[in-house]
Amino acid sequence: MTKKKKKIGILTAGGDCPGLNAAIRGVGKTAIVEFGMEVIGFRAGYSGLIHNDYLELKESQLSGILTLGGTILGTSREKPFKNGGADAHDKPDTILQNYNDLGLDALVCIGGNGTMKTANMLSKQGLNVVGIPKTIDNDVWGTDITFGFESAVEIATEAIDRLHTTANSHQRVMIIEVMGHNAGWLALYAGTAGGGDIILLPELPYNLRSVCKKVESRYEENKPYSIVVVAEGIERPEKRTAANYIAEAIGTYTGLETRETVLGYIQRGGSPSPFDRILATRYGSFAAQCIADGNFGTMVSVIDNKTVAVPLSEVGGKTRLVRPDDPLVTIARRMGISFGDEYLK
Ligand code: F6P
């Protein structure tokens, strides 16, 4: 008797990032070529799973997508376990029904912290789930790195590089805001790579006095311009963007000319960097291996440069934040880069 082909589903959920298609391709091609599985892709994240909206993914459809930004499956921020909406309580049941009706053997959920939280809940409901961590924020618990982050660091660094020359020409203080509501990894890495003079992170308390003193001391040292890199999630008055708040404060207290740049969604768009293509491929391929091995309720991750599977129950609902003693924070401080906390009581 011939053995039934295994059938798997893939979805991408949460905010998009470079490398999603590379990950879909990594899972799909390995599943088809190496393990002879059938693959389908759900459209628009968990929404596709609820509404049974999917497409078959043949190997030919997975060709030519490695370098593409965005996701061929689309994404959404649908949270099936969140209360609200008349049909809210039915969604998990509908998902289970659809999963069984489609004859799925496993589901691959590609996403960030929120996606992993839902993936863990689905796993508890009896679905065979494998998670793959992605986000430009690099804040998924249980892995040293998420794909998408390195591409975003590259984009933000190039933007900071370009600000240096115009800042120098006009002798201005340039404030650049990068993404990161809770985690400051992107600000820390792009700020360091781009030679920022002041870096402000959501995790590290700062005060305006320290920020302004740093800018003033640079002028006194004949450094005619400054670059301030801020994460969007730093403490600030409600309804103010981080860049606008810091720029106005520096202008008011130092009398120096300031300009703001909010980088926004440029950081999430476009082709993934070679590093992210490889990381996403590595994750995708390992996720297919986990399915073949029956290693479910897990998220693929890289720890100390080794690809491993960690239990989803240890990941869901947590955020990996920059610690005050992070090695890169220490390195930056020792070189005179300010985190805006010198005069903090
Ligand atoms: O996916 C993470 C992230 O990029 C954050 O850094 C950012 O604040 C957020 O998504 C915004 O995304 P959206 O506007 O799509 O909800």
Side-chain angles (χ1 to χ4, degrees):
M1 206 170 72
T2 50
K3 243 171 100 186
K4 181 190 161 280
K5 265 190 172 189
K6 275 203 170 116
K7 187 173 176 185
I8 69 166
I10 306 174
L11 61 83
T12 53
D16 74 341
C17 74
L20 285 169
N21 289 320
I24 295 167
R25 174 180 173 270
V27 179
K29 285 208 172 201
T30 312
I32 296 167
V33 177
E34 175 70 12
F35 298 116
M37 297 174 186
E38 244 178 89
V39 182
I40 64 169
F42 290 100
R43 291 193 184 90
Y46 289 112
S47 181
L49 201 51
I50 295 164
H51 301 291
N52 216 15
D53 185 9
Y54 66 91
L55 64 154
E56 276 182 42
L57 292 175
K58 303 268 180 231
E59 208 228 330
S60 58
Q61 279 151 292
L62 298 168
S63 285
I65 64 167
L66 172 66
T67 62
L68 283 186
T71 159
I72 59 163
L73 297 176
T75 184
S76 72
R77 293 203 183 268
E78 169 66 48
K79 293 184 177 78
F81 288 90
K82 208 170 171 193
N83 291 329
D87 60 343
H89 63 287
D90 295 335
K91 288 178 182 175
D93 292 346
T94 310
I95 287 178
L96 189 61
Q97 185 77 49
N98 288 339
Y99 176 92
N100 288 330
D101 289 352
L102 284 165
L104 287 180
D105 295 289
L107 177 71
V108 178
C109 302
I110 307 175
N113 282 314
T115 304
M116 293 311 140
K117 194 173 170 186
T118 303
N120 183 40
M121 288 161 143
L122 290 176
S123 158
K124 283 188 185 153
Q125 292 229 324
L127 274 67
N128 293 330
V129 184
V130 177
I132 299 183
K134 67 88 203 152
T135 165
I136 64 162
D137 294 340
N138 201 30
D139 61 352
V140 177
W141 188 268
T143 183
D144 290 347
I145 186 135
T146 59
F147 72 80
F149 173 64
E150 214 260 350
S151 304
V153 169
E154 231 178 83
I155 297 162
T157 302
E158 197 203 326
I160 299 169
D161 288 351
R162 288 176 186 276
L163 289 177
H164 274 276
T165 58
T166 172
N168 196 3
S169 307
H170 291 269
Q171 310 212 333
R172 283 171 173 160
V173 183
M174 289 293 191
I175 297 89
I176 176 163
E177 179 181 312
V178 300
M179 278 185 166
H181 270 306
N182 303 307
W185 294 108
L186 187 49
L188 175 63
Y189 274 67
T192 307
D197 305 301
I198 300 169
I199 302 172
L200 302 181
L201 311 177
E203 297 92 333
L204 305 186
Y206 72 96
N207 68 357
L208 294 173
R209 181 160 176 240
S210 305
V211 173
C212 295
K213 284 267 181 205
K214 174 69 184 177
V215 172
E216 277 171 344
S217 74
R218 285 180 51 79
Y219 277 81
E220 282 154 18
E221 291 159 13
N222 291 323
K223 294 170 184 163
Y225 72 95
S226 293
I227 302 286
V228 185
V229 181
V230 302
E232 64 183 330
I234 59 164
E235 205 187 326
R236 63 188 188 282
E238 233 186 298
K239 292 191 180 138
R240 297 286 299 275
T241 69
N244 179 258
Y245 175 60
I246 298 296
E248 195 181 288
I250 294 175
T252 306
Y253 296 124
T254 68
L256 295 167
E257 205 180 349
T258 62
R259 289 289 187 272
E260 307 146 32
T261 304
V262 179
L263 210 48
Y265 292 88
I266 287 167
Q267 294 161 99
R268 281 194 354 205
S271 188
S273 66
F275 179 90
D276 275 338
R277 292 178 200 181
I278 290 169
L279 182 60
T281 301
R282 206 170 145 191
Y283 277 151
S285 159
F286 192 60
Q289 183 66 55
C290 287
I291 294 171
D293 294 345
N295 194 1
F296 299 123
T298 52
M299 180 186 83
V300 299
S301 102
V302 169
I303 296 173
D304 295 334
N305 205 25
K306 285 196 183 65
T307 317
V308 293
V310 296
L312 270 173
S313 56
E314 285 176 19
V315 174
K318 296 186 199 145
T319 308
R320 194 176 74 93
L321 298 175
V322 178
R323 291 164 44 121
D325 61 350
D326 183 273
L328 195 54
V329 172
T330 306
I331 289 167
R333 281 193 197 280
R334 287 165 53 124
M335 294 171 64
I337 296 170
S338 168
F339 288 88
D341 53 5
E342 289 80 7
Y343 293 88
L344 207 62
K345 296 254 158 47

